[in-house]
Amino acid sequence: MRLPAARAAFRRCGVTTMAALDISRSDDSMFRHLEDADKRRDVEHVLVVGDYALINGGQPKIAIDTANLLADRGIGVTFFAACGPVIDALKRPEIEVICLEQSDILSDENRLRAMRRGIWNGTAARRLRDTAERFDPKKTVLHCHGYAKALSPAIGPVLSNGPLASVYSMHEYFLACPNGGFYDFQANQICTRKPLGVDCLTTNCDARKFAHKAWRVIRQAATIGPGRMPRGLKDVITTSKFQGRVLAPYLGQETRMHHVPNPLPSFDRPRVNSTANEIFLFVGRLDPEKGCTQFAHAAQALGVKAVFVGDGRERENILKANPEAEMLGWLSPDGVQDQLARARALVFPSLWYEGFPLVPLEAISRGVPVVAGSWSAASEAVVDGVNGAVYSEPSTASLIEAIKRIGDLDGDKIALTMDLSPARHFNDLMYIYERL
């Protein structure tokens, strides 16, 4: 895409500044110059930074997977985290781990300390800067995978003006939105208010109570002010193009945005003959914003078998809406794959933007179609009428019609249209690291 065309595209998306799109890399050609990346890289070490040294969600999983991917390819890795315990996957000679053994803001029994650290964790910032100063800035980059659960906005100045060139991977929306999701949890709908504007400040959009929203507002003010984020960040990675469109208006004029989807793990499993299956599968948290109860109503209305993998606040409401639903709770990764092998389709009815969830990608890669809303980043991998169904209105009626259309799909054509291999992901990262 040429520069004028890129500007026009941004205006159509409602973005008035040329913040940040790395327009030199189209989907078809962005890596044609990386055919021999291993021979031309200058980066020898990466300081990977995140809230956790254990896997308790998608964000720390990607950070830990990134550390291992880099180490497997001969890149030196130092993994810096606020919270432990350190997972076994990081306990290898090629990876140095620095874990502060702090509590995150939810598990800290000292609530005043949790509130204070959540806004400004000075200890973490000092330790991170000291760690960064150990490395040669000509051969080392810093890659941050989040701060909102423990590290706090205090690390912002280390990212924007620290000893090392840095890049920030956005797994949610805390860089711009106080509650991290552009979602009104009280109204159960996507929020379009301007972050920290009058409407934002006077609306309780938090999942809990207004006092917690007030605390989030203070933290967001610290993020934008002394934290210098997001406008002070020079490079930002988004996992989906959808994320990029949402975030771009809040970035600085000189910030570069890079689209790097998360890689899919390699599964030694056969392709699923989904047309021979009957169950419609949901995988994820059973919380209102995930649309799980709406799916339960849709499945009941259609008379199809609904299976839920996960747990959360909506469990009882799901069973009230659909007493015949099969509730499996949380399963291991292998257990999830076993359920995908049973699935006619994966239904992903999330009501908020999402980042770039992996389960829909895993489903499509195995031949299982996906149903997703057009407002969710999950729909980015779905070609409507080919490998799934995309619906445009967050209503039960619209979801029902989308599920009906699954029967029209050709099972042989259900496949991913993007390369999400670890090799591609490594080349993505090395390309960005070299530009830093």
Side-chain angles (χ1 to χ4, degrees):
M1 184 186 292
R2 297 185 181 277
L3 190 59
R7 287 197 177 100
F10 259 68
R11 286 194 292 271
R12 287 195 296 273
C13 292
V15 178
T16 57
T17 69
M18 260 316 278
L21 184 62
D22 187 354
I23 57 174
S24 65
R25 307 190 306 152
S26 69
D27 284 343
D28 296 328
S29 62
M30 68 174 79
F31 296 108
R32 61 180 179 271
H33 55 290
L34 280 176
E35 294 175 356
D36 203 8
D38 284 343
K39 293 183 180 179
R40 58 187 291 285
R41 68 174 180 244
D42 297 315
V43 175
E44 297 180 0
H45 200 96
V46 179
L47 174 56
V48 180
V49 177
D51 285 322
Y52 299 98
L54 71 155
I55 295 177
N56 59 1
Q59 184 168 306
K61 183 181 186 304
I62 295 301
I64 290 168
D65 286 351
T66 297
N68 280 289
L69 177 63
L70 294 169
D72 289 343
R73 300 301 182 96
I75 302 295
V77 176
T78 296
F79 194 94
F80 182 98
C83 306
V86 178
I87 194 171
D88 287 344
L90 290 173
K91 296 177 181 178
R92 49 186 292 188
E94 303 90 344
I95 300 177
E96 175 195 19
V97 179
I98 300 174
C99 182
L100 305 184
E101 299 294 348
Q102 296 179 336
S103 300
D104 64 17
I105 56 178
L106 290 178
S107 62
D108 193 338
E109 295 181 357
N110 185 326
R111 300 313 298 159
L112 290 177
R113 181 176 62 194
M115 292 172 61
R116 184 179 68 251
R117 270 190 185 167
I119 295 171
W120 200 260
N121 189 341
T123 299
R126 288 190 295 273
R127 289 289 299 277
L128 179 58
R129 183 175 288 274
D130 290 344
T131 301
E133 288 176 346
R134 291 169 36 200
F135 300 106
D136 182 350
K138 295 180 180 179
K139 299 179 180 180
T140 308
V141 299
L142 188 159
H143 188 170
C144 182
H145 286 268
Y147 63 87
K149 301 297 178 64
L151 291 171
S152 86
I155 68 168
V158 185
L159 305 182
S160 61
N161 193 32
L164 301 175
S166 72
V167 61
Y168 182 93
S169 275
M170 192 176 79
H171 299 278
E172 12 66 1
Y173 300 91
F174 278 113
L175 284 177
C177 173
N179 72 20
F182 284 102
Y183 191 79
D184 187 331
F185 289 90
Q186 298 295 325
N188 285 327
Q189 62 186 22
I190 289 171
C191 176
T192 58
R193 303 177 183 91
K194 180 181 178 182
L196 299 191
V198 174
D199 286 347
C200 172
L201 295 175
T202 56
T203 300
N204 178 21
C205 59
D206 193 82
R208 281 164 282 188
K209 51 188 178 181
F210 193 75
H212 198 261
K213 166 66 182 289
W215 178 87
R216 289 181 181 272
V217 166
I218 295 171
R219 180 177 63 180
Q220 197 66 19
T223 302
I224 295 171
R228 307 176 192 171
M229 295 188 293
R231 295 190 178 276
L233 299 175
K234 298 179 179 65
D235 289 86
V236 172
I237 290 174
T238 63
T239 56
S240 66
K241 294 177 181 178
F242 186 96
Q243 263 190 328
R245 291 194 295 271
V246 172
L247 183 67
Y250 305 98
L251 296 175
Q253 289 284 345
E254 303 303 319
T255 306
R256 295 181 295 190
M257 187 180 293
H258 312 271
H259 171 225
V260 182
N262 293 328
L264 276 182
S266 297
F267 293 110
D268 185 20
R269 292 176 179 271
R271 181 177 172 84
V272 176
N273 180 16
S274 60
T275 56
N277 293 333
E278 295 183 353
I279 73 165
F280 286 77
L281 182 66
F282 175 97
V283 179
R285 287 184 291 108
L286 304 185
D287 288 337
E289 68 272 17
K290 290 295 187 177
C292 45
T293 304
Q294 188 178 85
F295 168 48
H297 283 291
Q300 178 77 354
L302 288 168
V304 300
K305 181 66 174 178
V307 176
F308 292 81
V309 174
D311 206 352
R313 292 172 290 162
E314 287 294 287
R315 189 179 191 280
E316 295 305 316
N317 288 333
I318 289 169
L319 288 172
K320 287 179 182 178
N322 191 334
E324 297 176 355
E326 187 176 349
M327 312 295 288
L328 301 181
W330 289 113
L331 299 178
S332 67
D334 285 343
V336 173
Q337 294 303 313
D338 290 342
Q339 294 306 312
L340 283 175
R342 302 173 58 204
R344 180 66 183 89
L346 176 79
V347 181
F348 197 87
S350 182
L351 301 176
W352 75 293
Y353 287 151
E354 296 283 348
F356 198 44
L358 287 179
V359 173
L361 304 174
E362 293 174 0
I364 296 173
S365 71
R366 294 195 62 195
V368 178
V370 170
V371 178
S374 61
W375 56 88
S376 164
S379 66
E380 200 164 289
V382 182
V383 180
D384 187 58
V386 178
N387 61 10
V390 178
Y391 59 109
S392 58
E393 183 180 299
S395 68
T396 303
S398 186
L399 176 57
I400 288 173
E401 292 305 311
I403 293 174
K404 286 180 179 179
R405 289 194 283 119
I406 291 298
D408 299 330
L409 303 182
D410 183 344
D412 293 334
K413 294 183 179 179
I414 298 170
L416 281 176
T417 59
M418 57 186 74
D419 181 0
L420 298 177
S421 66
R424 169 71 178 258
H425 191 71
F426 174 77
N427 280 346
D428 281 16
L429 294 180
M430 293 312 299
Y431 172 73
I432 295 169
Y433 295 162
E434 288 169 2
R435 293 193 71 186
L436 301 187

